Amino acid sequence: MTLNLTKPICFFDLETTGINITTDRIVEIAVIKVFPNGNEERKTWLVNPEMPIPAEVTAIHGICDADVADKPTFKELAKEIYTMVKDSDLAGFNSDRFDIPLLAEEMLRAGVDFDMKGRVAVDVQTIFHKMEQRTLAAAYKFYCDKTLDDAHSAAADTEATYEVLKAQIARYEELENDTKFLAEFSSRKKFADFAGFITFNKYNEECFSFGKHKGKRVEDVLNEEPGYFGWLLNADFPLYTKKVLTAIKLRNFNNKLA
C-alpha cells in the first residue's frame, strides 16, 4: 500500500515530561516524512526539556534526565524540525488532541510561528477507534500482525502508526487513499485552536467552549467584556489559543474600521 499524496505528509510522535500541553515539554520527537513519489525521510531527536522528567513518566517511555542532559533544547532544534514539517500535512496517533497542540506550544515558545493553515492532519487513532476501538499496540497487531515490542519509543510508535494507516486504507473500502479525506474522517469536533477552548457554531463562527461564556461567540464576548481578553492572555492558556484569540480581536477591530 502506497499513500496517495498530493503533498508530503509527516508522521510524528512525541515523548514528553507529562500530558499538560501548557506546562510539559518534549524529550523526544520522531518524524517520518513521506513524499508523493513514495520516498521517505526519517529523523529522531532527543531533546533537553530544561525541567526534570518525573520518575513515573520515565517508567513509561524509558527516557531519564541523564539521557537528555547533554542534548539540544527544543529552541535550539525548532528551526530544523520546522524545516522538515513546514510544507507537509501531519499525521499521528492521538495527534489532534496531544501531539500537534504540544508541538505548536513548543514552536511558539521558540519563536516559530507554527500553525495548520494550508495543511490537514490525519489522526490514525481516531480512524482506529471508529473502526475497531483499541490501543496502538493492538492496532499494530490487528492490522499488521506484528508485535509492538518497543512501545513508547517515539521511533517505534511512529513506524507503527505509519504502517497501521497504510493497512487501514488497504482493509476498509470506505477509506479513500487521500489525505484530505483521511483528515476529515479522523477529525473530531472542529476547533479554532488546537487545545479545544475555541470551537465553531453551525454558522462557522468562533465560540468559547468553556467557562461562563461557553457557547457564546468570541467576538461578542470581547466586545461586551473587553477585560476578559486581558484576563485570557494573562491566564494559563496555551500560546496557540492566545494567538487565535488575538487574531479574532484584530479581525474584529479591522472590520469596525472598514
Side-chain angles (χ1 to χ4, degrees), residues 31-225:
V31 180
I32 301 173
K33 186 171 186 176
V34 186
F35 296 86
N37 65 2
N39 289 346
E40 299 171 4
E41 178 183 347
R42 287 168 168 77
K43 184 72 176 180
T44 301
W45 296 267
L46 280 171
V47 185
N48 184 337
E50 301 181 277
M51 64 183 293
I53 305 171
E56 61 270 23
V57 178
T58 294
I60 294 172
H61 55 48
I63 301 170
C64 65
D65 293 337
D67 295 326
V68 294
D70 62 346
K71 302 302 179 184
T73 64
F74 191 88
K75 186 173 184 179
E76 293 170 325
L77 293 169
K79 289 185 179 178
E80 180 183 356
I81 296 170
Y82 184 68
T83 297
M84 187 171 184
V85 305
K86 67 180 180 180
D87 63 341
S88 307
D89 294 326
L90 298 179
F93 200 84
N94 194 33
S95 50
D96 280 359
R97 291 192 293 183
F98 183 72
D99 298 83
I100 291 176
L102 184 53
L103 179 63
E105 287 300 292
E106 289 277 38
M107 287 289 184
L108 292 172
R109 275 192 290 267
V112 177
D113 190 17
F114 178 90
D115 59 39
M116 291 295 290
K117 292 178 182 176
R119 54 175 148 183
V120 297
V122 178
D123 193 327
V124 176
Q125 185 193 62
T126 303
I127 295 175
F128 182 38
H129 285 179
K130 284 186 175 183
M131 295 298 188
E132 304 296 345
Q133 313 260 324
R134 296 286 198 283
T135 63
L136 176 57
Y140 198 45
K141 182 65 177 177
F142 182 87
Y143 290 110
C144 307
D145 197 24
K146 297 178 181 178
T147 301
L148 185 54
D149 294 321
D150 201 13
H152 298 298
S153 156
D157 287 356
T158 303
E159 292 282 356
T161 300
Y162 176 35
E163 290 188 41
V164 166
L165 179 60
K166 291 189 291 182
Q168 286 173 330
I169 295 169
R171 176 180 288 264
Y172 303 113
E173 292 183 1
E174 60 265 46
L175 292 183
E176 296 179 17
N177 191 351
D178 175 81
T179 305
K180 289 184 178 179
F181 172 87
L182 295 168
E184 291 176 5
F185 187 87
S186 65
S187 67
R188 298 177 177 90
K189 190 173 182 181
K190 186 179 179 184
F191 294 106
D193 65 330
F194 295 134
F197 290 108
I198 306 170
T199 187
F200 291 96
N201 62 19
K202 62 182 180 180
Y203 304 108
N204 207 37
E205 299 167 322
E206 297 98 340
C207 297
F208 287 109
S209 65
F210 69 97
K212 64 179 182 179
H213 294 304
K214 184 176 181 179
K216 295 181 182 178
R217 296 197 318 157
V218 174
E219 194 171 297
D220 293 339
V221 173
L222 297 185
N223 283 335
E224 297 166 5
E225 193 177 332

